Amino acid sequence: MAYDALFDSVFARMDPERIHERAFAAIRAGRPVTRLAYRVEPSPVTVMGIEFPHRFGLAAGFDKNARGVLGLLALGFGHVEIGTVTAKPQPGNERPRLFRLVDDHAIVNRMGFNNDGAAVVASRLHRLRGTAAGRRAVIGVNIGKTKVVPAEHAAQDYVESARLLAPYADYLVVNVSSPNTPGLRDLQAVESLEPILAAVKAVADGNHAGRVPLVVKIAPDLADEDVDRVTDLVLALGLDGISATNTTIARPDDLRTPRSIVEAAGAGGLSGPVLADRALEVLRAIRSRAGDGLTLIGVGGVTDEADVRARIEAGADLVQGYTGFVYGGPSWPSRLARAAR
């Protein structure tokens, strides 16, 4: 409740990206305190051959550059998925590019994969893995296409990121579902997706430190038949799993936020509770089609403990959140982690 009052009185009035930067700095600085305040008793689960402390983790997007993994874990997340990282550094889209729809506890973002680039992030992860805490941390690495790289060279671009980052990743995620890089979602068509996934899988399988599990992250806006086609492709290629789902480009009519505010936010991916029903529907469809043959990460609209339980009941092996963290505050990860047992 105290966080709600602080959010309403202070945070909601400030630029969302600036608040994110300040909050993230506080998380990094406060790790020794938060580790004690928000400790979660382990409930280990093995997924993709990796032992996770529990099933609940932080989705990609919050820590794009692997700058605060240990601080985030100290808040109660069982794993952190960093990124999205691209082969080359890029500034992302022009600001403002992050908007709150407070009445819906939602966010619109068109960040555009702003990140330091795979080489810099790999160096940072190398240093982190050189520490005892860093070696214990479960870290997923989410990779995307560099904006200036044409679609016909996408596979090589993803391979470059995978080559640099796989040695430090517990698992890799190929992100072809962000709406904020022009043409990226077109790569979800199986004829475009197959060469990318096959090329990255070759890198992940041949990693000198040992094979790295590989997951693909898809959009909620895919038609049902395309979800089936991607699922079949992932099974045929022998990938480890699917992350369902990313943000949506839809703007549902039942948003509580006044339409004028929604329109003023403009283009970008919408996240938050409004995404939950479709993300859950996609998750169920994949599990029904794949059976036990794939690891599924349930993400998108995860807001409270009931959402965590619903994803697990629908077949998710792991559950992730992000937007709920923004609105729920520092106690949110540990609360949801306890529901993920």
Side-chain angles (χ1 to χ4, degrees), residues 127-151:
R127 292 193 298 273
L128 177 61
R129 292 302 201 186
T131 68
R135 286 189 291 273
R136 291 193 300 269
V138 181
I139 305 170
V141 178
N142 185 301
I143 59 175
K145 186 181 79 66
T146 305
K147 183 177 180 178
V148 298
V149 170

Side-chain angles (χ1 to χ4, degrees), residues 99-108 255 257 261-262 270 327:
F99 307 86
R100 303 186 198 92
L101 306 185
V102 177
D103 291 345
D104 294 284
H105 278 199
I107 288 174
V108 172
L255 287 170
T257 302
I261 295 176
V262 176
L270 174 66
Y327 287 96

